[in-house]
Amino acid sequence: MNKAESERLGSLLEQRGYRAVSTAETADLVILNTCVIRESAENKVVNKLHVLRRLKKMRPGMQIAVTGCFVDVDEAGLKRKYPQVDYFFKAGDLPGWIENISPVETLAQHPPVSVYVPIIQGCDNFCSYCIVPYRRGREHSRPMDEILREIRLLASRGAKEIILVGQNVDSYGKDLPEKPDLADLLTEVNRIDDILRIRFLTSHPKDMSQKLIEQIAGLNRVCAHINLPVQSGDNEILGLMKRGYTIEQYRALVARIRRSVPGVALTTDVIVGFPTETEEQFQSTVALLRAVRFDAVHVACYSPRSGTYAAEHLPDDIPAEEKSRRLKTVEILQEEIATDINAKLSGLKLAILVDGSTKSKWHGRTRSDKLVFFSAPGDYTGRELEVRIDRTGPWSLQGSIT
Ligand code: SAH
Ligand code: SF4
C-alpha cells in the first residue's frame, strides 16, 4: 500500500515540475511515507525525523512532509512534537498544494513494468493486535470505472503487470452502490489488452469466496498466487487475535484453493510471541507451516501497538529473546521448505516478466512470483519471455535464455 501511495505521490510531484534526487541532503522537499505496523517501524520514522531536523538546520529552505500511518488524529500534537515538519497529511490524502489534480491526469509518463493500484483503503476487521483500522479508517472502495480508467491509461503507457492492493481486497466493493466484488473487478481488468499479468493482495481467510477462487483459475492474466495471512496455527491464539476463522477452516480453504487452482503459489504472514502464546501453541504454528508448505512466509515478532485491544487488555508476556527464538525457528524452517519447493523448478522453462536489471543481470518474476535472474545482451525491460531455470535457492533462481 505504501509503495502504491509513494509511486502516486512521485507522479504528482513530477507533474508539478519536481524531479527525484537520490539523497535527502540535496532535496528541496522530503516526504516521509511512514509505516507504524510494528514498533521497530515507528522507531525508524522517529530516527529519520531527527536526522531531517539536523539537515533542515543546515538548509532552512528545505520542506518536510510526513504521511502514512505515523500521522494520527492528533495532528496538533505531532506539530508540537516535530516542529521541523511543514506538513502532515493522512495516508492516502494529498496535501493542499497538490490536491486539485485528478488521479488519471497525474500518472507518470513512463510507469514501471509492474504497478501497484490501490482499490480499497482502510480496514473494518479490527484484529486485536493491529493499528491499521485506527490509522487508516474504515473500508472505502474506489469505484470500479475509476480503477479501470487508470489501468487502461497505465497499459497505454507501457505497464505490463497490475497489482491490485488493499488491506483486505476481498471486501472490495461492499461499500459501493452496485456492490461489485473483487472477482468482478478481476474479470474486467483481465479484458484490458497489453496487461500481461494481474495480482492482488492481501486476502483475508474469512472473506475469500469460492467465486473468487474460480476466477483466479479461469482468468488467463490473473496469476495463480495468493497471499493468505494465517497469523497463527493455534485456535486459541487466533481467537485472541480476533481473526474470525479456525485453523480447520483455514486448512479447508487451502485445500479448496489447491483443488481449484492447480500449481497455485501460496504465501502467508505469521506473528510469533503473541500475548500468552505457549511453546505448545507456537509448535502448532510450526506444524501448520510444515503441513501447508507455503512458497513464502512473512514472519514478525508481536509488537504491542497502543490503542489496540491486545495492547490495552492482554499482557505482552513473551520475553524479547523468546520471540526472536521463535522467529528464527520459523525462518529456518521456511528456508528449508522454500529451498525444496524451488529445487523442483530446476531445468524447467518458465515465463518471466522482466522488470529491470541490476549490475549485469536482468531480473523478473515467474507467474508464481519467484524472482529469477539471467544474463543476456539487449533490453528486455517489460518483456515476458521463457527462461530456463539452471540453479535454485530459497530466495531466488538463476536462469538462461539459450
Ligand atoms: N491485512 C493483512 C495484513 C496487514 S498488516 C492481514 O489481514 O493479514 C501486515 C502484517 O503485519 C500482518 O499480516 C501481521 O503479520 C503484521 N502485524 C500487524 N500488526 C502487528 C503487530 N502488532 N505486531 C507484529 N506484527 C504485526
Ligand atoms: Fe490489520 Fe486485521 Fe485489518 Fe489486516 S485484516 S489490516 S491485520 S485489522
Side-chain angles (χ1 to χ4, degrees), residues 187-223:
T187 307
E188 290 305 317
V189 180
N190 199 70
R191 294 208 171 100
I192 300 177
D193 286 336
D194 300 327
I195 294 299
L196 304 175
R197 292 178 177 188
I198 307 163
R199 300 183 195 276
F200 55 91
L201 38 104
T202 294
S203 301
H204 196 297
K206 78 171 166 42
D207 295 326
M208 194 160 205
S209 69
Q210 187 59 28
K211 177 179 168 195
L212 177 64
I213 296 171
E214 279 158 23
Q215 291 299 62
I216 300 166
L219 296 170
N220 61 328
R221 295 173 186 178
V222 175
C223 294

Coordinates of all heavy atoms in Angstrom, one line a residue, residues 187-223:
T187 N -12.3 -9.7 -13.5 CA -12.8 -10.1 -14.8 C -12.7 -8.9 -15.8 O -12.2 -9.1 -16.9 CB -14.3 -10.4 -14.7 OG1 -14.4 -11.4 -13.7 CG2 -14.9 -10.9 -16.0
E188 N -12.9 -7.7 -15.3 CA -12.8 -6.5 -16.2 C -11.4 -6.2 -16.5 O -11.0 -5.8 -17.6 CB -13.5 -5.3 -15.5 CG -15.0 -5.4 -15.4 CD -15.6 -5.6 -16.8 OE1 -15.2 -5.0 -17.8 OE2 -16.5 -6.5 -16.9
V189 N -10.5 -6.3 -15.5 CA -9.1 -5.9 -15.7 C -8.5 -6.9 -16.7 O -7.7 -6.6 -17.5 CB -8.3 -5.9 -14.4 CG1 -6.8 -5.6 -14.7 CG2 -8.8 -4.9 -13.4
N190 N -9.0 -8.2 -16.6 CA -8.5 -9.2 -17.5 C -8.8 -9.0 -19.0 O -8.2 -9.5 -19.8 CB -9.1 -10.6 -17.1 CG -8.4 -11.8 -17.6 OD1 -7.3 -12.1 -17.1 ND2 -9.0 -12.5 -18.6
R191 N -9.7 -8.1 -19.2 CA -10.1 -7.7 -20.6 C -9.2 -6.7 -21.2 O -9.3 -6.3 -22.4 CB -11.5 -7.1 -20.7 CG -12.6 -8.1 -20.3 CD -13.9 -7.7 -21.0 NE -14.8 -8.8 -20.8 CZ -15.8 -8.8 -19.9 NH1 -16.0 -7.7 -19.2 NH2 -16.6 -9.8 -19.7
I192 N -8.3 -6.0 -20.4 CA -7.5 -4.9 -20.9 C -6.3 -5.4 -21.6 O -5.4 -6.1 -21.0 CB -7.1 -4.0 -19.7 CG1 -8.4 -3.4 -19.0 CG2 -6.2 -2.9 -20.2 CD1 -8.2 -2.5 -17.8
D193 N -6.2 -5.1 -22.9 CA -5.1 -5.6 -23.7 C -3.8 -5.0 -23.2 O -3.9 -3.9 -22.6 CB -5.3 -5.2 -25.2 CG -6.4 -6.0 -25.8 OD1 -6.6 -7.2 -25.3 OD2 -7.0 -5.6 -26.8
D194 N -2.7 -5.6 -23.4 CA -1.4 -5.1 -23.0 C -1.1 -5.4 -21.6 O 0.1 -5.3 -21.2 CB -1.2 -3.6 -23.4 CG -1.3 -3.4 -24.9 OD1 -1.0 -4.3 -25.6 OD2 -1.8 -2.3 -25.2
I195 N -2.1 -5.6 -20.7 CA -1.7 -6.1 -19.4 C -1.5 -7.6 -19.4 O -2.4 -8.3 -19.8 CB -2.9 -5.7 -18.4 CG1 -3.0 -4.2 -18.3 CG2 -2.6 -6.3 -17.0 CD1 -1.8 -3.4 -17.7
L196 N -0.3 -8.0 -19.1 CA 0.0 -9.4 -19.2 C -0.3 -10.2 -17.9 O -0.6 -11.3 -18.0 CB 1.5 -9.6 -19.5 CG 2.0 -8.9 -20.8 CD1 3.6 -9.1 -20.9 CD2 1.3 -9.5 -22.0
R197 N -0.2 -9.5 -16.8 CA -0.4 -10.2 -15.5 C -1.1 -9.3 -14.6 O -0.9 -8.1 -14.5 CB 1.0 -10.5 -14.9 CG 1.8 -11.5 -15.7 CD 3.1 -11.7 -15.0 NE 3.8 -12.8 -15.7 CZ 5.0 -13.3 -15.3 NH1 5.5 -12.9 -14.1 NH2 5.6 -14.3 -16.0
I198 N -1.9 -10.0 -13.8 CA -2.7 -9.3 -12.7 C -2.5 -10.0 -11.4 O -2.6 -11.3 -11.4 CB -4.2 -9.3 -13.0 CG1 -4.5 -8.7 -14.4 CG2 -5.0 -8.5 -12.0 CD1 -5.8 -9.0 -15.0
R199 N -2.2 -9.3 -10.3 CA -2.1 -9.9 -9.0 C -2.9 -9.0 -8.1 O -3.3 -7.9 -8.4 CB -0.7 -9.9 -8.5 CG 0.3 -10.6 -9.3 CD 1.7 -10.6 -8.6 NE 2.7 -11.0 -9.6 CZ 3.1 -12.2 -9.9 NH1 2.5 -13.2 -9.2 NH2 4.0 -12.5 -10.8
F200 N -3.1 -9.5 -6.9 CA -3.9 -8.8 -5.9 C -3.4 -9.2 -4.5 O -3.0 -10.3 -4.3 CB -5.4 -9.1 -6.0 CG -5.7 -10.6 -5.9 CD1 -6.0 -11.2 -4.7 CD2 -5.7 -11.4 -7.1 CE1 -6.3 -12.5 -4.7 CE2 -5.9 -12.7 -7.0 CZ -6.2 -13.3 -5.8
L201 N -3.4 -8.2 -3.6 CA -3.1 -8.5 -2.2 C -3.6 -7.4 -1.3 O -3.7 -6.3 -1.8 CB -1.7 -8.8 -1.9 CG -0.5 -8.1 -2.5 CD1 0.1 -7.0 -1.6 CD2 0.5 -9.1 -2.8
T202 N -4.1 -7.8 -0.1 CA -4.0 -9.0 0.6 C -5.4 -9.6 0.9 O -6.3 -8.9 1.1 CB -3.3 -8.8 2.0 OG1 -2.0 -8.4 1.8 CG2 -3.3 -10.0 2.9
S203 N -5.5 -10.9 0.8 CA -6.7 -11.6 1.0 C -6.9 -12.0 2.5 O -5.9 -12.2 3.2 CB -6.8 -12.9 0.2 OG -6.6 -12.6 -1.1
H204 N -8.2 -12.0 2.9 CA -8.4 -12.4 4.3 C -9.1 -13.8 4.3 O -10.1 -13.9 3.6 CB -9.3 -11.4 5.0 CG -9.3 -11.5 6.5 ND1 -9.8 -12.7 7.1 CD2 -8.8 -10.7 7.5 CE1 -9.6 -12.5 8.4 NE2 -9.0 -11.4 8.7
P205 N -8.5 -14.7 5.0 CA -9.1 -16.1 5.0 C -10.6 -16.2 5.3 O -11.3 -17.1 4.8 CB -8.3 -16.8 6.1 CG -7.0 -16.0 6.2 CD -7.4 -14.6 5.9
K206 N -11.1 -15.3 6.1 CA -12.5 -15.4 6.4 C -13.4 -14.9 5.3 O -14.6 -15.1 5.3 CB -12.9 -14.7 7.8 CG -13.0 -13.2 7.7 CD -13.5 -12.7 9.0 CE -13.3 -11.2 9.1 NZ -13.6 -10.4 8.0
D207 N -12.8 -14.1 4.4 CA -13.7 -13.5 3.3 C -13.5 -14.0 1.9 O -14.1 -13.5 1.0 CB -13.3 -12.0 3.3 CG -13.7 -11.3 4.6 OD1 -14.7 -11.7 5.2 OD2 -13.0 -10.3 5.0
M208 N -12.6 -15.0 1.7 CA -12.3 -15.4 0.4 C -13.4 -16.3 -0.2 O -13.7 -17.3 0.3 CB -11.0 -16.1 0.4 CG -10.4 -16.3 -1.0 SD -8.7 -16.6 -1.0 CE -8.3 -16.0 -2.6
S209 N -14.0 -15.8 -1.3 CA -15.2 -16.5 -1.8 C -14.8 -17.6 -2.8 O -13.8 -17.5 -3.5 CB -16.2 -15.5 -2.4 OG -15.6 -15.0 -3.6
Q210 N -15.7 -18.6 -3.0 CA -15.5 -19.6 -4.0 C -15.5 -19.0 -5.4 O -14.7 -19.4 -6.2 CB -16.6 -20.7 -3.9 CG -16.4 -21.9 -4.7 CD -15.1 -22.6 -4.5 OE1 -14.5 -22.6 -3.3 NE2 -14.5 -23.3 -5.5
K211 N -16.3 -18.0 -5.6 CA -16.4 -17.3 -6.9 C -15.0 -16.7 -7.2 O -14.5 -16.9 -8.4 CB -17.4 -16.2 -6.8 CG -17.6 -15.3 -8.0 CD -18.6 -14.2 -7.8 CE -18.6 -13.2 -8.9 NZ -19.4 -12.0 -8.5
L212 N -14.4 -16.1 -6.2 CA -13.1 -15.5 -6.5 C -12.0 -16.6 -6.8 O -11.3 -16.5 -7.8 CB -12.6 -14.8 -5.2 CG -11.2 -14.2 -5.3 CD1 -11.1 -13.1 -6.4 CD2 -10.7 -13.5 -4.0
I213 N -12.1 -17.7 -6.1 CA -11.1 -18.8 -6.3 C -11.3 -19.3 -7.8 O -10.3 -19.6 -8.5 CB -11.4 -20.0 -5.3 CG1 -11.0 -19.5 -3.9 CG2 -10.5 -21.2 -5.7 CD1 -11.4 -20.4 -2.8
E214 N -12.5 -19.4 -8.2 CA -12.8 -19.9 -9.6 C -12.3 -18.9 -10.6 O -11.8 -19.3 -11.7 CB -14.3 -20.3 -9.7 CG -14.5 -21.7 -9.2 CD -15.9 -22.0 -8.8 OE1 -16.8 -21.3 -9.4 OE2 -16.2 -22.8 -7.9
Q215 N -12.5 -17.6 -10.3 CA -12.0 -16.6 -11.3 C -10.5 -16.7 -11.4 O -9.9 -16.5 -12.5 CB -12.4 -15.2 -10.8 CG -13.9 -14.9 -10.9 CD -14.4 -15.0 -12.3 OE1 -14.4 -16.1 -12.9 NE2 -14.9 -13.9 -12.8
I216 N -9.8 -16.9 -10.3 CA -8.3 -17.0 -10.3 C -7.9 -18.1 -11.3 O -7.0 -17.9 -12.1 CB -7.7 -17.2 -8.9 CG1 -8.1 -16.0 -8.0 CG2 -6.2 -17.3 -9.0 CD1 -7.9 -16.3 -6.5
A217 N -8.6 -19.2 -11.2 CA -8.3 -20.3 -12.0 C -8.7 -20.0 -13.5 O -8.0 -20.5 -14.4 CB -9.0 -21.6 -11.5
G218 N -9.8 -19.3 -13.7 CA -10.3 -19.2 -15.0 C -9.8 -18.0 -15.9 O -9.9 -18.0 -17.1
L219 N -9.3 -17.0 -15.2 CA -8.9 -15.8 -16.0 C -7.4 -15.9 -16.3 O -6.5 -16.0 -15.5 CB -9.1 -14.5 -15.1 CG -10.6 -14.2 -14.8 CD1 -10.7 -13.1 -13.8 CD2 -11.4 -13.9 -16.1
N220 N -7.1 -15.8 -17.7 CA -5.7 -16.1 -18.1 C -4.7 -15.2 -17.6 O -3.5 -15.6 -17.5 CB -5.7 -16.2 -19.6 CG -6.1 -14.9 -20.3 OD1 -6.9 -14.1 -19.7 ND2 -5.5 -14.6 -21.4
R221 N -5.0 -13.9 -17.4 CA -4.0 -13.0 -16.9 C -3.8 -12.9 -15.4 O -2.8 -12.3 -15.0 CB -4.3 -11.6 -17.5 CG -4.3 -11.6 -19.0 CD -4.7 -10.3 -19.6 NE -4.8 -10.5 -21.0 CZ -5.2 -9.6 -21.9 NH1 -5.6 -8.5 -21.5 NH2 -5.2 -9.9 -23.2
V222 N -4.7 -13.5 -14.7 CA -4.6 -13.4 -13.2 C -3.6 -14.5 -12.8 O -3.8 -15.7 -13.1 CB -6.0 -13.6 -12.6 CG1 -5.8 -13.7 -11.1 CG2 -6.9 -12.5 -13.0
C223 N -2.6 -14.1 -12.1 CA -1.5 -15.0 -11.7 C -2.1 -15.9 -10.5 O -2.7 -15.4 -9.6 CB -0.3 -14.3 -11.2 SG 0.5 -13.4 -12.5

